[in-house]
Amino acid sequence: MTNRRVLLRNRPIGEPKPSDFQIVDADVPKPADGEILVRTIWLSLDPYMRGRMNDVKSYAPSVELGQPMVGGTVGEVVESRDLAFTPGEVVLTYGGWQTYHLAKSAGARVGPFGPIKLDPKAAPISTALGILGMPGMTAYVGLYDLGQPKAGETVVVSAAAGAVGSVVGQLAKIRGCRAIGVAGSKDKCDYVVNELGFDACVSYRVPDLATVLRDACPNGIDVYFDNVGGDVLKAVLRLVNPFARIPLCGIISQYNATEPPPGPNLAPVLMNRVTIRGFIVSDHADRLPQFLGDCGRWLRDGRLKYREDIVEGLDRAPEAFIGLLRGRNFGKMLVKVGADPTRR
Ligand SMILES: NC(=O)c1ccc[n+]([C@@H]2O[C@H](COP(=O)([O-])OP(=O)(O)OC[C@H]3O[C@@H](n4cnc5c(N)ncnc54)[C@H](OP(=O)(O)O)[C@@H]3O)[C@@H](O)[C@H]2O)c1
């Protein structure tokens, strides 16, 4: 038995390349007292990982060169030296890009993810990394707590077919809002309208996005859930209503940038007394029970839907991650690292 690991070999300049990663085989670690050994089943790939590859001060530490890439994981306990866990149980952990890892509950920091036991009967275990996990919760607190949408208002969300954006639009509909998506392809737009029930979706790959968005938002924009920054934010700012709210969730259009991009014209923010509020989901951990209660129920009732984009095998994590930053994923990007005993 070996532990396959994907290490950070180089800090990328611009877009990451496969050679920035190194795949190695190491010994499977042995759990000490209080630790569990976890076999990874699902690895989440998320845009924030691009920031962790840089050596710059941020809200979370960088990955050290030669260390495994970080990431949320769902796996099976294979050995336990913690009385609270039994082999065979499924746990949410922050195990990173590797096939085995140790996790520790009592009093130790293992990252923001636990280990937390999952009930495979309650929901597919992979949802703990998507709609019922960090991306879903980001959508929930970002939209409901910071966006404060009211029935009848227009909510626009970018990266609308992705893990966070797809939930934002559906939550906006549940609140009685008009939900408009912005995404990178016709397929993605068709999906968010036809499958997820958004009112409309526009591609940002058009010459005049502000005009196309204006047609989709005849009453202006009350909430813009920003996942991308850049040109989409620029177009939205021309259409904001007085007292609009902009939860600033992500700026993926800049994650591979080598030069600071030219700033948007913020005059409408001033004129319209717009609140732009940055946030990080981990500051809102107190909202977890409410989020899981609401979204778990809506998922079971069929009011929330989700889509997963799955690649098989840890060795494909680097190419899948590079693709995620290019918009190649369609839905929550996951790597199937090992057999999932809960799924046929
Ligand atoms: N603040 C927080 O706590 C928090 C937590 C989770 C996620 N986030 C942020 O939320 C955003 C979405 O994350 P996610 O996990 O849901 O990822 P995702 O939407 O599933 O995947 C990323 C998507 O971003 C889009 N994209 C890539 N480059 C773009 C560009 N230049 N312009 C416009 N869109 C671009 C692509 O879709 P298209 O085909 O539509 O371009 C791609 O599929 C990211 O910015 C992420 O960093 C923030």
Side-chain angles (χ1 to χ4, degrees), residues 125-246:
I125 58 173
S126 59
T127 58
L129 297 170
I131 192 158
L132 295 182
M134 183 277 282
M137 177 142 164
T138 301
Y140 186 87
V141 294
L143 184 68
Y144 283 171
D145 295 3
L146 307 179
Q148 300 272 323
K150 293 171 206 60
E153 288 190 330
T154 298
V155 173
V156 173
V157 58
S158 46
V164 174
S166 61
V167 184
V168 170
Q170 295 182 83
L171 294 178
K173 291 305 296 176
I174 286 172
R175 196 43 75 84
C177 299
R178 197 173 142 73
I180 310 297
V182 180
S185 69
K186 182 173 179 324
D187 274 3
K188 288 185 178 181
C189 285
D190 288 349
Y191 164 71
V192 302
V193 172
N194 300 331
E195 305 282 328
L196 304 183
F198 286 38
D199 295 283
C201 182
V202 302
S203 165
Y204 61 84
R205 297 183 203 277
V206 289
D208 188 0
L209 178 59
T211 308
V212 179
L213 255 184
R214 180 176 297 123
D215 293 343
C217 305
N219 300 323
I221 296 171
D222 300 294
V223 180
Y224 173 50
F225 192 107
D226 191 8
N227 282 320
V228 307
D231 290 342
V232 182
L233 176 60
K234 211 159 143 186
V236 164
L237 287 178
R238 289 167 59 181
L239 303 170
V240 281
N241 287 333
F243 307 107
R245 284 82 63 200
I246 302 184

Side-chain angles (χ1 to χ4, degrees), residues 268-286:
V269 176
L270 177 62
M271 304 297 180
N272 292 296
R273 291 81 86 207
V274 170
T275 304
I276 299 187
R277 165 88 194 267
F279 75 101
I280 299 294
V281 63
S282 45
D283 295 334
H284 300 267
D286 58 314

Side-chain angles (χ1 to χ4, degrees), residues 61-82:
S62 310
V63 175
E64 297 292 328
L65 288 176
Q67 288 301 307
M69 290 287 294
V70 290
T73 42
V74 166
E76 182 183 21
V77 178
V78 287
E79 198 180 331
S80 175
R81 294 190 62 188
D82 178 338

Side-chain angles (χ1 to χ4, degrees), residues 121-123 132 292-304:
K121 292 194 203 76
L132 295 182
L292 285 176
D294 284 347
C295 289
R297 191 173 65 256
W298 292 329
L299 187 63
R300 284 192 297 280
D301 295 349
R303 295 185 77 187
L304 283 181

Side-chain angles (χ1 to χ4, degrees), residues 63-127:
V63 175
E64 297 292 328
L65 288 176
Q67 288 301 307
M69 290 287 294
V70 290
T73 42
V74 166
E76 182 183 21
V77 178
V78 287
E79 198 180 331
S80 175
R81 294 190 62 188
D82 178 338
L83 290 176
F85 294 89
T86 316
E89 285 179 331
V90 177
V91 285
L92 173 68
T93 48
Y94 200 61
W97 298 26
Q98 49 189 344
T99 49
Y100 289 91
H101 59 274
L102 298 174
K104 194 174 194 172
S105 53
R109 251 190 80 86
V110 290
F113 287 89
I116 296 169
K117 276 187 214 182
L118 299 175
D119 176 3
K121 292 194 203 76
I125 58 173
S126 59
T127 58

